[in-house]
Amino acid sequence: MAIAAALLAIAPSSAKIRCVDEAQVINGQLAVTPWCEDENLAKVAQAYGARVTGAAIRDNPNLKAQICRFVGADIRVKDTCAGYIDFDRRR
């Protein structure tokens, strides 16, 4: 029993989530998911110099709002940040 548990701990997980930008690969199809959106937001923010992870964004909604304001109107996170930034405001 202990050997089986050790092998499971060492073996890579086949259930690892794979993302393509903000979309998750599910049975060969792409579906936008909150998990992948947060990972993509973190990746884009890191490109701007922010030290943030997808897990931190998921755990703290205020951090997500701050990162969306920081990244601005970057097209790669437009849909993810739509609730935090008014992209189409015109005066």
Side-chain angles (χ1 to χ4, degrees):
M1 188 72 156
I3 294 172
L7 289 175
L8 287 175
I10 296 171
S13 173
S14 62
K16 183 177 179 184
I17 296 174
R18 281 192 10 214
C19 297
V20 176
D21 296 329
E22 71 276 353
Q24 182 177 342
V25 179
I26 303 172
N27 295 328
Q29 301 293 319
L30 295 177
V32 175
T33 62
W35 197 92
C36 288
E37 283 184 323
D38 292 343
E39 289 296 317
N40 186 55
L41 178 58
K43 184 174 81 171
V44 171
Q46 290 166 1
Y48 282 93
R51 291 183 173 176
V52 67
T53 65
I57 290 172
R58 280 189 295 284
D59 292 341
N60 186 345
N62 289 327
L63 178 61
K64 184 172 186 173
Q66 290 173 346
I67 294 297
C68 281
R69 287 190 295 271
F70 172 70
V71 172
D74 191 300
I75 192 71
R76 297 174 290 177
V77 293
K78 184 176 181 181
D79 292 335
T80 303
C81 292
Y84 300 98
I85 296 175
D86 187 10
F87 289 110
D88 298 322
R89 185 184 319 167
R90 298 174 202 252
R91 292 185 180 197

